[in-house]
Amino acid sequence: MACISIHGIRTAAAANTNFLGSHNYQSSAKLFFTGDQSCYFYSGQRPFNWDSLNLQIFHHGNSCRRLNSHRSFSPVLSSLSSVNGHSSGGERVVVLVIGGGGREHALCHALKRSPTCDAVFCAPGNAGISNSGDATCICDLDILDSQAVVNFCHEWSVGLVVVGPEAPLVAGLANDLVKAGIPTFGPSSEAAALEGSKNFMKGICDKYGIPTAKYRTFSDSAAAKDYIKEQGVPIVVKADGLAAGKGVVVAMTLEEAYDAVDSMLVRGDFGSAGCRVIVEEYLEGEEASFFALVDGENAIPLESAQDHKRVGDGDTGPNTGGMGAYSPAPVLTKELQSLVMTSIILPTVKGMANEGCKFVGVLYAGLMIERKSGLPKLIEYNVRFGDPECQVLMVRLESDLAQVLLAACKGELTGVSLDWSPGSAMVVVMASKGYPGSYEKGTVIQNLEEAEQVAPSVKVFHAGTALDTDGNFIARGGRVLGVTAKGRDLEEARDRAYQAAEQIKWPGGFYRRDIGWRALSLKQCSSTG
C-alpha cells in the first residue's frame, strides 16, 4: 500500500481500498506521480456512488502522461464535494481549454467554478494556470495538430472543448473536433473568416446592412495611396489577415498612412496577413467591446466591457493587444446594447447562416459609438473572447459556464439567461518594458501571492509567465499579467486592482495608471453636474 498526501489529505492508495477516509466510490480513477512526490488525480467516470474503488496508480516514467502542476488535483477535488453523486444538475463534463494566455486562464478559472465541470485541462496552458490550480496544463499537446487534440479528447473523455485563440480556429480545429463528435465552443474555419479576413467581414456588413466604417480593399500600394490622398487624414489602414493584434494603423498624417501601406504591401512586414489592406474612414467617438454567445441561429449578449488599446496613460502611444479593461461599460447603455443586438449581432448571425457557415462560439464586436450620431458602428469582429475583457467578464459571471457553452454547442441558447455579480470589475495589464515593441524576456516577478491577498476579490491571471530553475515566475511575453479585482462600484474595483498591482515586485514591467478613466470621468461629471 502506498500512502501519499494530496493537499494535506492523507490517502490510502491501492486497488480496491478506501479513498478519502471511509468513503469509497465506484469509478476508475488514476493517480499520477512526479519526482517531487506530488500526484495528480483524474476520473472520467460520473456519477460517483461511493460504493467501491478501483484505483490505478502510475508512476512518472511509466505509461502515464505527466500532468504539469502539483496543484492540478484541485479542479477535480472540488467536484468530489458532491457526495453520493448529488450535484447542481446539468450534464457533467470534462473540459479542455485551448490556449495559454490570460484569456484562457480566466476561462479555466470560471470553468473550475462550474458545479457540473468534473475537471479542466488547458493546452498548452502556462505556469500561472498550473500553479493556481485552475486547470491541469498539458504543455506537450500541439494545439495546431487536430488529430492530436482529438486523440487527447477521446483518451480523457473530454465532453467540451473551448478554443481560446483565433489561429487554431482559422486553421480549422473546430471543424475537425466537431467531425469527431466532440462538442466544441468555437466557430468553423469558414465562420472564423469574420476575424481571419477583414475583407470578408466587410463584405458581410455590406450584404446584410450592418453599420460599419466606409472602406476600400487594395492589393496594389499605388492605388491604396491614391485613395488615401483622395479621402484625407486621419484614416485607418488594416492588414486583411491575422496579425496578432498589430495590423492596424490609425494614421494622423499622409506619411503615416503611406508608410503603413508600404509596410504591409511592399515590405511584407505582416507576411500573408498583409497581402491585402483595408483602408477605412476614421470614426470619432468612444470604443466599446460587445460580446454575444452564438449557437448558429440564436445569440444572447454578455455583459458590456471596455478595453484600453493604447500603451500609454491618456490613450497615448501605439496600439497594443489591450492594457486593461473594466465591466460594465457605462457607454453601452441598455438601449445601445439592444440596438447592437438588433442592428449588428443578429443580422451577422443570420447572414452567416444564409452563407452556409453557421457561427457557433462567441462574437466579439469592436464598436465605435460615434460622437456625432451616438449610434454604434462595427469596427471589427473577433471570433473569440477578447483579452483582457474576458478576465473581467469571467470574474463577474455567476452562471455555470460549462453548461452555457454546451448549450451553445448544441444549438440550445434559446431561453438561456446569464447571472452576473453586481458592481464592477477591472483588470490592469502588467507588460514587459518596451512592449509593444521589443522587450526583454526572463525578468523575475515576485510577490504574486501577496497581490492576491489584498482582497478576496483579487485574482492575478497569467498571460505570459514561466518558471525558472529556481522556481521563480519570469516574464516570457509582452503582456504578462492581468491583475483583476471586483468591487461594489468601479472606484472600488480600481482601488483594489491597483493596490494589488503595487504589491507585485517586477522591475522589468510596467502598467497604465489610468484604466477606467473614461467611465470614472463620466461619473464624476454626472455627480457634479
Side-chain angles (χ1 to χ4, degrees), residues 167-186:
L169 292 169
V170 173
L173 177 59
N175 302 57
D176 296 331
L177 287 166
V178 171
K179 185 178 180 181
I182 301 165
T184 303
F185 184 78

Side-chain angles (χ1 to χ4, degrees), residues 161-357:
V161 176
V162 181
V163 186
E166 64 275 18
L169 292 169
V170 173
L173 177 59
N175 302 57
D176 296 331
L177 287 166
V178 171
K179 185 178 180 181
I182 301 165
T184 303
F185 184 78
S188 66
S189 58
E190 296 81 7
L194 279 173
E195 178 172 359
S197 170
K198 294 178 178 63
N199 185 61
F200 176 83
M201 183 273 288
K202 288 286 194 177
I204 291 291
C205 290
D206 286 347
K207 188 171 182 178
Y208 294 98
I210 298 163
T212 188
K214 183 176 69 173
Y215 77 102
R216 288 274 301 276
T217 303
F218 299 93
S219 55
D220 177 74
S221 62
K225 291 177 183 178
D226 287 343
Y227 180 76
I228 289 169
K229 185 176 181 180
E230 175 187 317
Q231 297 298 312
V233 290
I235 202 163
V236 181
V237 181
K238 298 179 178 180
D240 177 51
L242 297 177
K246 299 177 182 178
V248 177
V249 175
V250 180
M252 305 308 290
T253 67
L254 287 175
E255 290 73 21
E256 286 178 335
Y258 295 161
D259 183 65
V261 169
D262 288 340
S263 170
M264 298 173 193
L265 293 180
V266 178
R267 298 196 298 271
D269 292 345
F270 296 96
S272 60
C275 289
R276 289 188 299 187
V277 299
I278 312 299
V279 181
E280 67 178 29
E281 70 173 314
Y282 173 79
L283 299 176
E284 285 193 271
E286 188 169 350
E287 291 189 44
S289 304
F290 189 93
F291 299 86
L293 302 182
V294 183
D295 68 3
E297 299 282 352
N298 311 291
I300 59 173
L302 300 180
E303 273 284 74
S304 62
Q306 188 169 54
D307 189 11
H308 296 64
K309 289 295 185 188
R310 300 280 188 167
V311 72
D313 288 359
D315 289 338
T316 57
N319 275 332
T320 71
M323 294 300 296
Y326 58 91
S327 173
V331 66
L332 276 172
T333 63
K334 294 298 181 184
E335 293 76 16
L336 270 178
Q337 290 182 55
S338 178
L339 181 59
V340 171
M341 285 296 292
T342 57
S343 67
I344 296 176
I345 300 296
L346 291 176
T348 301
V349 173
K350 293 176 181 177
M352 293 296 285
N354 290 342
E355 297 297 313
C357 47

Side-chain angles (χ1 to χ4, degrees), residues 420-441:
W420 302 90
S421 65
S424 297
M426 179 180 287
V427 56
V428 175
V429 170
M430 301 187 75
S432 298
K433 287 181 178 177
Y435 175 80
S438 60
Y439 51 84
E440 181 182 357
K441 294 183 179 180

Side-chain angles (χ1 to χ4, degrees), residues 286 306 308 326 328 330 424 426 489-495 498 513-528:
E286 188 169 350
Q306 188 169 54
H308 296 64
Y326 58 91
S424 297
M426 179 180 287
D489 51 29
L490 189 57
E491 289 95 334
E492 185 172 74
R494 174 199 60 189
D495 292 345
Y498 277 109
R513 307 277 177 166
D514 65 342
I515 303 301
W517 70 273
R518 288 182 182 274
L520 292 167
S521 298
L522 180 65
K523 184 172 182 179
Q524 192 172 37
C525 289
S526 62
S527 63
T528 58

Side-chain angles (χ1 to χ4, degrees), residues 359-485:
F359 187 96
V360 175
V362 61
L363 264 181
Y364 163 18
L367 304 174
M368 180 67 75
I369 312 303
E370 277 200 291
R371 183 171 299 155
K372 58 184 179 183
S373 67
L375 299 176
K377 281 189 175 180
L378 178 66
I379 301 174
E380 64 181 7
Y381 269 131
N382 291 331
V383 297
R384 31 71 185 187
F385 284 101
D387 186 342
E389 297 98 328
C390 186
Q391 287 83 313
V392 290
L393 292 174
M394 290 301 105
V395 298
R396 292 192 60 213
L397 182 68
E398 295 186 340
S399 299
D400 186 328
L401 180 62
Q403 292 305 306
V404 171
L405 300 187
L406 272 175
C409 295
K410 296 176 180 180
E412 298 174 355
L413 278 181
T414 302
V416 171
S417 60
L418 301 176
D419 296 322
W420 302 90
S421 65
S424 297
M426 179 180 287
V427 56
V428 175
V429 170
M430 301 187 75
S432 298
K433 287 181 178 177
Y435 175 80
S438 60
Y439 51 84
E440 181 182 357
K441 294 183 179 180
T443 54
V444 175
I445 306 167
Q446 296 178 315
N447 275 28
L448 292 173
E449 290 187 4
E450 288 81 353
E452 289 194 332
Q453 291 170 4
V454 163
S457 68
V458 172
K459 175 70 177 179
V460 179
F461 292 112
H462 290 241
T465 62
L467 291 175
D468 65 14
T469 55
D470 295 322
N472 297 311
F473 280 107
I474 58 173
R476 67 170 188 178
R479 293 186 301 157
V480 176
L481 300 170
V483 184
T484 310

